[in-house]
Amino acid sequence: MIVVMKAGAEAEKCEAVMREIARLGYKPHPIVGVERTVIAAVGDERGKAALQALEGLPGVEKVVPILKPYKLASRLEHRERTVITVQGVAIGGPEVVVMAGPCTVESYEQVYETAVAVKAAGARILRGGAFKPRTSPYSFQGLEEVGLRILQQVGKELGLPIVTECMNPEDAELVAAYADIIQIGARNVQNFSLLKRVGRLDVPVLLKRGMSTTIEELLLSAEYILSAGNPRVILCERGIRTFEKATRNTLDLSAVPVLHAETHLPVIVDPSHATGHWQYVTPMAKAAIAAGADGLLVEVHPHPAQALCDGPQSLKPATFCAMMRELAPVARAVGRQL
Ligand code: PEP
Ligand code: MN
């Protein structure tokens, strides 16, 4: 932390700041300039909000943090990329892992038909929501535990691990009993009670970026899960809200290389929620792989026109299959495989 003193701040004020820095357990290191003095507080400043409070002392202009506020998520602490293996599927390794399935579980037949098709096309993980975060309370809310059971059954029958959302801290153990990966959706990225709860589970977590969440905030949300004891966190860029209306959200693909620079955690991209239109899913999936994504989360429905949720952005199985064929050379071009 660097404490910048006001221009011309008297020596006594600088000394008082140095005494306070020492009292907080840091080593004060003053640099006396012609116009002003800056004082470095040497020590691990993360999690030490007390240092920021030095701004309240007389003669202090501002207090500037030097280190990133997240630690366990940071690449500085952990140079090697984290690879998360779920039933033999390695996320964060050389393979681009495609997770696909319906937005929401509607019936056994719907999930089974989708799962057979996406598996045949090369998907490695089955997605599907049983607890749905819907903007309107009048929209279909999900089949809840019945949906979890359907997903688990289909997953077992086809040998596909499943990823499904948990919205409520009270449901975390229930979802964990069925899911191979627990999804935390965009709307819950800063539900800190939920993050702490899934942080205590022994199940990997797929953490989606919120529509108005900065990359730093996303990493701090990951830090909640990591610091609660769960080291298996996968980050997901799914589009952010901007002024643009042509797509449901704006896919912030630069988040992929930024996150790879900042963190060792795997980063995947959801081109379905990012664009909101099935026609744009394949091009953005290609772009995501080119940008370095470790995986994709894609919505597929056998009959999108009848889907209870997110039909317009869902690929038909045949379109998904065609997309997978088109993605393979893109993955090869960037040294990955599908
Ligand atoms: C989903 O993946 O089903 C979902 C609701 O996505 P998001 O939280 O990104 O809106
Ligand atoms: Mn959806």
Side-chain angles (χ1 to χ4, degrees):
M1 205 72 96
I2 300 285
V3 182
V4 181
M5 301 301 293
K6 287 187 178 142
E10 298 83 349
E12 305 85 76
K13 287 183 180 154
C14 296
E15 278 151 23
V17 168
M18 284 168 48
R19 275 197 301 279
E20 189 57 15
I21 289 173
R23 195 185 66 77
L24 291 168
Y26 294 83
K27 222 168 150 317
H29 184 78
I31 303 153
V32 182
V34 181
E35 284 198 14
R36 65 175 82 216
T37 298
V38 299
I39 306 167
V42 181
D44 193 337
E45 70 199 25
R46 287 169 291 203
K48 294 289 189 304
L51 279 173
Q52 201 72 48
L54 295 173
E55 255 177 36
L57 288 181
V60 174
E61 185 167 293
K62 60 183 173 190
V63 176
V64 190
I66 300 299
L67 295 178
K68 298 284 165 55
Y70 40 85
K71 183 172 179 144
L72 299 171
S74 167
R75 253 199 118 172
L76 291 176
E77 302 281 324
H78 195 296
R79 293 303 306 167
E80 291 292 297
R81 291 263 172 92
T82 290
V83 177
I84 295 171
T85 303
V86 183
Q87 288 181 28
V89 180
I91 304 154
E95 183 185 351
V96 177
V97 173
V98 178
M99 312 178 184
C103 177
T104 187
V105 177
E106 297 168 15
S107 67
Y108 172 84
E109 291 71 24
Q110 170 240 15
V111 176
Y112 186 81
E113 187 179 345
T114 311
V116 168
V118 300
K119 183 181 176 182
R124 305 296 307 272
I125 295 177
L126 176 64
R127 67 147 284 148
F131 292 93
K132 291 307 300 176
R134 303 306 300 277
T135 301
S136 164
Y138 305 117
S139 302
F140 177 64
Q141 303 285 308
L143 292 181
E144 304 189 347
E145 192 168 358
V146 171
L148 294 176
R149 263 193 235 119
I150 292 172
L151 267 179
Q152 189 187 51
Q153 190 181 338
V154 173
K156 284 218 166 92
E157 283 167 3
L158 298 179
L160 287 173
I162 59 171
V163 55
T164 193
E165 178 160 356
C166 178
M167 298 200 299
N168 184 343
E170 273 86 79
D171 295 329
E173 277 76 19
L174 173 76
V175 177
Y178 291 94
D180 299 297
I181 304 175
I182 292 190
Q183 179 172 321
I184 302 297
R187 290 153 193 83
N188 273 311
V189 65
Q190 290 192 318
N191 180 340
F192 302 117
S193 320
L194 180 60
L195 299 177
K196 286 181 200 168
R197 193 71 165 255
V198 298
R200 295 202 294 269
L201 297 174
D202 186 22
V203 181
V205 177
L206 172 58
L207 178 64
K208 296 186 95 173
R209 181 181 184 183
M211 31 211 137
S212 308
T213 312
T214 64
I215 290 173
E216 182 173 289
E217 286 165 342
L218 173 64
L219 287 167
L220 282 166
S221 290
E223 190 82 6
Y224 262 92
I225 302 171
L226 299 170
S227 62
N230 187 343
R232 294 189 289 171
V233 179
I234 303 153
L235 302 171
C236 180
E237 164 59 41
R238 47 77 74 203
I240 52 175
R241 200 164 262 188
T242 69
F243 53 83
E244 183 52 66
K245 293 277 174 284
T247 46
R248 184 175 176 182
N249 292 288
T250 298
L251 181 53
D252 178 15
L253 271 186
S254 46
V256 177
V258 172
L259 283 168
H260 276 321
E262 289 294 318
T263 181
H264 52 93
L265 299 171
V267 180
I268 73 164
V269 168
D270 172 351
S272 305
H273 291 89
T275 61
H277 297 277
W278 69 268
Q279 302 97 305
Y280 308 139
V281 170
T282 297
M284 296 321 285
K286 288 179 185 164
I289 294 177
D294 297 304
L296 298 171
L297 185 68
V298 180
E299 287 188 344
V300 180
H301 195 289
H303 312 286
Q306 276 110 53
L308 292 182
C309 185
D310 286 347
Q313 69 193 32
S314 298
L315 300 183
K316 291 179 181 162
T319 318
F320 178 77
C321 189
M323 179 188 80
M324 292 294 279
R325 278 198 300 270
E326 291 182 37
L327 294 181
V330 180
R332 275 199 299 279
V334 292
R336 310 288 288 261
Q337 73 221 31
L338 211 57

